[in-house]
Amino acid sequence: IPVLLCASVAIGAACRSSAPDPGVVAARQQEIKEALERYMVAARAVDATAVAAFFTPTGVLFEPGIQPIESRDSIRAFMASFPGVRVEVATASPDTIEIHGNMALYWGTYFEKLDFPGQPVSEQHGKFLAQWLRQEDGQWLIERMYRIPLPPSPP
């Protein structure tokens, strides 16, 4: 019985020490919000190089209806494949940001209004999930981003 009691105390202490510090969690959530805001500035400017720089070298962008876009270079090429596009509106809002050590999940909603040359203005909205990884230098980069479009709202 003393061995079990010691084991219980040790496990309990380990569990308490691994609980995330609320201050650290809040600071990291703020860092990720700010990183996504910078990402959105690059996206609104249709700056393919700047957008791709927000992804890890092995980052993946999942867009509905097409194959996953794998690697920072492929993401840059994909973003650059829309010459002349003008972004009228592009927003992303957090629903939840979960911190799991040096990994974070950013669940949110997006809206964009895009003007492609020679085509009607396109409006899209939906949900997204971005998996961010904290790098050794403290910078947060996207490892995976999933976009889930929703149908237009009824009139």
Side-chain angles (χ1 to χ4, degrees), residues 56-141:
T56 66
T58 58
V60 181
L61 176 61
F62 294 90
E63 291 279 340
I66 62 173
Q67 290 295 312
I69 304 158
E70 302 181 49
S71 85
R72 186 182 285 161
D73 290 339
S74 295
I75 292 167
R76 183 177 19 352
F78 173 73
M79 295 300 294
S81 71
F82 302 102
V85 68
R86 191 168 59 84
V87 178
E88 292 186 19
V89 178
T91 61
S93 305
D95 291 337
T96 302
I97 301 174
E98 299 175 6
I99 305 296
H100 304 280
N102 286 329
M103 188 270 290
L105 297 174
Y106 190 128
W107 306 82
T109 57
Y110 71 89
F111 174 78
E112 53 192 24
K113 188 173 182 180
L114 309 173
D115 187 1
F116 293 92
Q119 298 181 23
V121 172
S122 168
E123 287 189 14
Q124 302 171 25
H125 75 283
K127 297 284 191 178
F128 71 91
L129 169 60
Q131 177 193 22
W132 293 77
L133 298 179
R134 191 165 195 261
Q135 307 303 295
E136 288 184 21
D137 65 1
Q139 180 182 17
W140 289 93
L141 295 177

